[in-house]
Structure formats: structure tokens, C-alpha cells
Amino acid sequence: MNERGLDRDGMIAREGALDRVPATFVPAVDAARARITETFGDTRLHSAYLYGSIPRGTATPGVSDLDLQLVLHDEPTEGDRADAEAIEAVLDRAFPQIDGVGILLTSTRVLLSDVERHDGGFFIACLCTPLLGPDLAEELPRYRPTALLARETNGDLARVLPRWRAKAAEATTDADRRILSRFVGRRIVRTGFTLIMPRWGGWTSDLDQSAELFGRYYPERLEQMRVATTVGRAPSSDPVVLGMLINDLGPWLAAEYTAVHGDKAPRP
């Protein structure tokens, strides 16, 4: 992998690996593997993956969360979701080095579909590290940092903003606002990066680098993007900060994204 996250052929390289997991997080990862195997087994589970800062080797004890993607043979059911939530709760309680656990559930059909080829498929092939089962990436293409990839990964910000505003209006506690601000901050930084990704010609998941690269092309919005980066790591309960992200930076970014890359294809 070169300094722009590309391999020797100019394709986006897979960014994580099990041997990059910091030692302090290895027990949590081992426990996740065991719990997933015990709960889902081969009949429901096709494969499981790590993603985020832990397999990239950049996680901070007590701050970083444990992110997992489970790929199921069939469409996820309410029972599957309940089982995943139970695993989340057990792992979060057992390991103080992680600050929360998130498990995504998706079927093989969805991830291999044409409409998800440059979104969910890209996520599995480039941003996920195999933990259990056969690697679905072997059935997916390789990816370049193109406008198509930009559009299909983050070209739906305009559709998301109304939901964020509704959640912000419903947030009644500082804890509610912190949870929302962390999610919003991360999503905005990643959207800002993919906006400029084809022009820069590479890939990164590092929030700080994403914000600074964005600032090369949109210096007038850099300070706001730095705030989004900070909130993505250290959530804020300040409604003014959340309002800036949702009502100022967010709408501008959504409009610019549509103008540059177009809108993400609608999902069923």
C-alpha cells in the first residue's frame, strides 16, 4: 500500500488486518469470534468481519469501539438482530478497553447485488477484515477512487439530514446528543473526504487526514470539518455544535456533493 492507500495496480488496498489489532484489544476480538460462532453457527452465518480503528491498528483503549459486520446466508430477521444486540451488550460489559460494540447484519444477496457493488460491496472488500468464514471479497471486484465510488458510498447525505434533524429535536439528554453528534461528525468527515477522493486519487479512513485533505479543496470549510472530526472522536452535548453540523455544514456538503458527483442510486 502506498501513501494514498493504493496497491501497485492503483486499486484501493484493503486497509486492515488481524495482525494489526493492538494487543490490548485481542481478548475482545477473540471473545467476539467465540460469541458469534456460538450464537450464529454455520447455518445462519456466511462470514464475519472487523472494521474500524481496531483492525487498522489505530484504536485508543477506553475510547474506540468494536465494529463488526456479520454476513448472513439469508435476510436478517428480528431474531438475528436480537441475538446481535445481546452479543453487543455482553462484549461491551466485559471489556473496558472498548467503548461500545456495533454489529451490522447484512445478507450475501444484498452485498453481492449490483446496486450495492460500489457501497456495501466496497465496504466488505476494502474496509473490512475477515474474522470468520469465507471472504466475500473474493466474489467482488477491485476498486479505484472514482466518482462512481464517491456517489454510491456517500451520495445520500441530503436524504439523511432530515432524519438527523428529527433525532436532534427528540434528544432530551446530554447522552442522547453525544451519541448523535459522534455519528453525525464521523459521517460528515467521511462524506467530505469522498467528495474530494477522486481529485486526490486515493483512500483513507483516518478522520484527521480526511479533514485536512478536504481542506485543500475547500479551505473556507476546513475549520468546520475539523470540528466534525473532533466531535467524531470526542462527542459533544452542545446543541450549538450539533446544529452547525446538521443545519450549516451538512446542507452545504450535501448540495456540493450532488453538484459534483450526483445522487446515490435509490435502494429498494
Side-chain angles (χ1 to χ4, degrees):
M1 183 190 304
N2 65 19
E3 69 280 359
R4 299 200 177 201
L6 306 179
D7 64 20
R8 66 183 63 186
D9 297 321
M11 303 291 186
I12 297 173
R14 197 173 223 166
E15 61 180 17
L18 291 181
D19 60 11
R20 295 181 196 166
V21 174
T24 188
F25 292 100
V26 169
V29 171
D30 289 344
R33 183 190 289 108
R35 286 280 178 176
I36 292 166
T37 300
E38 177 186 341
T39 302
F40 285 89
D42 293 336
T43 56
R44 284 193 284 172
L45 184 73
H46 172 276
S47 49
Y49 305 80
L50 293 173
Y51 68 96
S53 61
I54 289 179
R56 293 200 304 270
T58 60
T60 302
V63 175
S64 298
D65 48 1
L66 177 62
D67 296 312
L68 297 152
Q69 165 76 67
L70 305 191
V71 180
L72 306 183
H73 292 294
D74 300 312
E75 302 307 316
T77 65
E78 290 305 312
D80 294 328
R81 294 186 180 92
D83 285 342
E85 289 174 1
I87 294 173
E88 290 173 344
V90 168
L91 294 175
D92 194 26
R93 286 196 302 266
F95 298 98
Q97 61 267 51
I98 55 176
D99 182 20
V101 180
I103 298 178
L104 301 178
L105 297 175
T106 319
S107 69
T108 55
R109 181 195 65 80
V110 167
L111 291 171
L112 294 176
S113 65
D114 289 341
V115 74
E116 288 293 334
R117 183 65 51 86
H118 287 84
D119 188 10
F122 165 73
F123 176 68
I124 288 289
C126 295
L127 307 187
C128 285
T129 297
L131 182 66
L132 284 166
D135 185 2
L136 201 65
E138 295 179 2
E139 300 182 50
L140 292 161
R142 301 170 73 198
Y143 296 87
R144 294 183 185 276
T146 62
L148 172 60
L149 185 62
R151 182 173 71 246
E152 292 306 308
T153 51
N154 287 303
D156 59 345
L157 185 59
R159 300 175 209 166
V160 174
L161 285 169
R163 295 201 294 271
W164 289 353
R165 292 191 186 103
K167 287 184 177 181
E170 295 166 1
T172 57
T173 68
D174 286 350
D176 291 338
R177 284 184 284 272
R178 281 194 293 269
I179 291 169
L180 181 59
S181 70
R182 184 181 193 185
F183 180 82
V184 169
R186 290 183 176 191
R187 174 64 190 275
I188 283 181
V189 174
R190 288 168 180 153
T191 302
F193 168 69
T194 51
L195 171 63
I196 60 89
M197 172 190 65
R199 283 177 275 180
W200 182 61
W203 179 269
T204 182
S205 289
D206 181 86
L207 294 180
D208 289 318
Q209 185 181 20
S210 295
E212 297 308 310
L213 289 169
F214 166 85
R216 294 184 188 179
Y217 301 87
Y218 298 96
E220 72 281 5
R221 292 280 179 170
L222 176 57
E223 289 307 315
Q224 287 182 317
M225 194 60 75
R226 285 172 173 163
V227 171
T229 301
T230 299
V231 170
R233 285 213 180 88
S236 172
S237 61
D238 186 346
V240 174
V241 172
L242 192 57
M244 181 276 288
L245 296 177
I246 295 176
N247 299 315
D248 186 0
L249 181 57
W252 171 85
L253 184 57
E256 183 69 8
Y257 215 98
T258 297
V260 174
H261 297 304
D263 293 324
K264 183 174 185 172
R267 268 41 177 180

